[in-house]
Amino acid sequence: MTAEGGDYNRLLIIDDDPALGKTLQILLRRAGFQVEWVATGGEGIRFIESRAPGEFLTGILIDVRLPDMNGLEVLRTAKKINPDAGAIMMTGHADLETALGALNEGAFAYIQKPYSPAEVQSVILRLAEKQKLLHENRRLLQKLTEVNAELESRVQERTKDLQAANLKLAATIERLQEAGAAKSDFISMISHELRTPLTVMIGFTRTCVLQFEKLGKADLLHYLEIIEAQGQILNRLIESILDFSVIQRKGVELRYEKFDLQSLAASVVEGLSHMKDGARIETLVPDEAREIVSDRERVRQILTNLLANAVKYSPSGKEVALSCRRAEAGVEISVKDGGPGIPEDIREKIFEPFYRAKDAIAMKTPGTGLGLTITKALVDALGGKLGLESEMGSGSTFIFFCPDQAGKLKEDGGR
Amino acid sequence: MAAAKKILVVDDEKFLVELLAVNLAPEGFAVVAAPDGESGVEKSLSESPDLILMDLRMPRMDGYEACRRIKSDPKTRHIPVLLISAHSQRDDIKKGIEAGAADYIRKPFDVARVIETVKKFLKNPA
């Protein structure tokens, strides 16, 4: 159906008098209408039914007296099939009452036989006008409904966006609160971590003073060694707190240079050799992965932290392995430990400041909860990535992708 | 002379245990140690100590919980428990006292004061 122009001219005549029907058909065709004529109510209804749903039918001219059924019945049925169809009843004198009844049933008008062509034309033109308006209204209503629906869906979309934004906000607030809580946890934890070695130091110093006369040389030496070791622990703690606060405040300053990963790894391993008896560090740096441009000291810090962690969490006798392989645009450095593994639900948390795994606290593995946070910040600063693979019971592997910054070195004029 | 009073030190920090031991022993106390809350509770039964010195932050079971358990067992309820912790906020102390602790010792502590406190509670068990 096309509602626009020229389509408000389809008519159907239902009249059993062929002379009348045909005459009217010819008359109306001349006036520019498309006119079908059928002789019985049944045919008329079949014709109306056969129209595609929604196809427009401007008017049906129905003879009140039809051989097979009453014109009023035809009208009712036609209205049921196509409520928009305009109906004009054609009636003789005797059927005036029926014709008036038809108006009550929704007919547009009636024409009394014998009719004048001019009268018929004028009624049909009025009908066409009315149908056009009706259809136009329909169309506008439809459009309005569509616009409303679109508006509705846009409102819904917006609401959804808003809800998503709200959720995000809530999550952000929660994260901030968590970070705040973590920070105050940190202060309380730091006070604990600092006070424990302090308590031991002060306690043993006081013991030396109190028992000075009675103490044997061996005991005295032993206490002094404890005091010294605890002092070292304190020093390391303070260093990592400082490192962390510098990174937080100023970010990381970088100096790129070309260096040999093999010799850097060897010197890192050397530096860690005092840590624990029994934990061996195997290093594997194949030739193709030896040379890289990055910040040597930052990479050293990262490797030191990762390896120190690996050694710390690996039981004595287990092996820690550092291996490198050339990757696209950089080198991938893996540090595998023989530790207990990291449960899946905390794998992201361990990079958060001050987070320490319950097991680590339980095992009293010394730490500030800053090592991995510092490491991650350094990796990020180098433009790298830090990944973690872990299986409970068979250790964890931290994978550090170190991008080769040879390009940056040229840009910076070899600084 | 009565048998030496026995003190159970529950702490996972071995140097702190050693520190307490080397200071309590010359005063005539027998010292036994447990490395975590859980074994602290066990030893409070098996060792029948006269007093317990207990760290708060410990693996497996913290000092509060261990203290609560010791205080809820009729066989160990009478043993005074002194909590030791770096956490010295009012809330921490309150939580300790609520758990049934007789007193609260702050880190870093003075060993001479700890001995005094121990002696005080052994004379007048809480």
Side-chain angles (χ1 to χ4, degrees), chain A residues 188-189 191-193 195-196 198-200 202-204 206-207 210-211 214 222-223 226 230 361-362 364, chain B residues 12-13 15-16 18-20 22-24 26 55 57-60 85-88 107-112:
Chain A
S188 117
M189 199 209 70
S191 81
H192 184 272
E193 297 284 326
R195 274 185 186 145
T196 299
L198 260 179
T199 305
V200 176
I202 295 171
F204 275 106
R206 186 105 173 96
T207 305
L210 290 173
Q211 303 181 11
K214 291 178 268 174
H222 175 57
Y223 297 167
I226 292 174
Q230 297 289 311
I361 295 168
K364 206 70 189 182
Chain B
D12 55 318
E13 189 65 52
F15 294 121
L16 271 175
E18 186 177 348
L19 174 66
L20 289 167
V22 300
N23 281 282
L24 287 164
D55 191 25
R57 212 170 134 119
M58 281 184 304
R60 279 190 279 286
S85 177
H87 296 275
S88 49
K107 282 186 201 172
F109 51 73
D110 176 354
V111 285

